[in-house]
Amino acid sequence: MSNLSAIAEILDDAARCANAIPQLSKTGHDLTLEEAYSVQELSIGRRQQRGEKLIGIKMGFTSRAKMRQMGLSEMIWGRLTDAMRVADGGEISLAKYVHPRAEPEIAFLMKDRLAGPVTETEALNAVEALAPAIEIIDSRYQNFTFNLSDVVADNSSSSSFVVGQWHPADTSIDNLGMALEINGQPVQVGSSAAILGHPLRALAAASRLAAKAGLALQPGWVIMAGGATAAHALGIGDSVRNSVQTLGAPGFAVAA
Ligand code: OOG
Ligand code: MG
């Protein structure tokens, strides 16, 4: 256990100081997936001890485009805290990240508790609202390279997220065009259907997978469904938007 705590501290420090570290798996820490999720919990626990609140979960590798880009094919999840939230129309400072990337996503706001295996209908019934969103991922590993356990231990690259306008839970998100734009130019285009065929499946998966770690999705939590396209590397001066058909276009700017 103390070993896992020590690894959690290394990852927490790397995230806090925006300092890239070598992959755990290449430095003698070959964690099982279960151990990796324990490290994630311990590392986010350190943030909670500093006053951050757990406010949701992000899903990862829920689209083929994301799996292909990172060379991994198993769904993963990470924890979201209130400090990770960036206001729609807000600004991030590149200096606070190692090598951030943006990806176009859909977010769900929970109305009811949801735990364990659930159908898509049960998942939908627990939703208060949904919104277009952007996740800013940032691997704490050098070169943004990792294996499955590495990335899970690193909170599944979770770093920041932006949520746009909320819409009623029954708003159709079957097949909405999504375009990630930098300074008005589309750099990645896809569809909400690229997320497991339907983003609600990502919500059901979040409920099922988090339960394995003893976590239930709570009312008021935000659940990020995962990137519909490959992620795009950010640079100073970028104005980033995720333009989602019928839902709107949340965005943020990247400063030094
Ligand atoms: C892992 C996180 C993946 C997504 O939406 O698929 C993810 C990574 O690509 O670094 O957030
Ligand atoms: Mg993501």
Side-chain angles (χ1 to χ4, degrees), residues 3-15 21-25 29-47 58 61 72 76-79 84 138-141 146-158:
N3 188 31
L4 296 186
S5 298
I7 297 170
E9 183 174 352
I10 291 169
L11 282 162
D12 180 45
D13 286 349
I21 59 170
Q23 280 173 254
L24 298 175
S25 58
H29 302 294
D30 241 325
L31 304 177
T32 65
L33 198 54
E34 206 182 334
E35 286 169 335
Y37 276 110
S38 297
V39 169
Q40 180 189 122
E41 183 177 4
L42 289 165
S43 131
I44 298 305
R46 296 175 63 87
R47 297 177 70 131
K58 57 77 63 76
F61 302 143
L72 295 170
I76 58 175
W77 60 277
R79 291 162 162 91
M84 298 178 186
D138 192 24
S139 177
R140 269 55 66 164
Y141 300 115
F146 42 69
N147 72 15
L148 196 67
S149 291
D150 290 333
V151 66
V152 164
D154 184 28
N155 200 24
S156 296
S157 304
S158 177

Side-chain angles (χ1 to χ4, degrees), residues 47-125:
R47 297 177 70 131
Q48 290 174 279
Q49 265 166 16
R50 293 196 295 270
E52 294 183 33
K53 304 246 169 324
L54 193 62
I55 58 154
I57 278 184
K58 57 77 63 76
M59 291 300 296
F61 302 143
T62 52
S63 71
R64 287 196 182 284
K66 275 296 303 181
M67 293 181 202
R68 205 179 305 121
Q69 182 180 34
M70 303 317 295
L72 295 170
S73 56
E74 203 172 311
M75 261 192 285
I76 58 175
W77 60 277
R79 291 162 162 91
L80 301 176
T81 76
D82 57 346
M84 298 178 186
R85 190 151 182 173
V86 172
D88 184 10
E91 188 178 271
I92 65 163
S93 162
L94 201 74
K96 294 200 173 136
Y97 300 79
V98 181
H99 34 209
R101 298 176 177 179
E103 40 194 31
E105 304 212 5
I106 298 284
F108 294 102
L109 178 65
M110 301 309 295
K111 175 177 65 184
D112 300 321
R113 184 178 180 276
L114 198 63
V118 291
T119 64
E120 280 165 55
T121 309
E122 286 166 334
L124 177 60
N125 286 339

Side-chain angles (χ1 to χ4, degrees), residues 108-109 111 123-131 166-173 198 200:
F108 294 102
L109 178 65
K111 175 177 65 184
L124 177 60
N125 286 339
V127 171
E128 172 75 34
L130 55 86
W166 291 111
H167 297 265
D170 61 358
T171 306
S172 173
I173 48 169
H198 195 295
L200 264 183

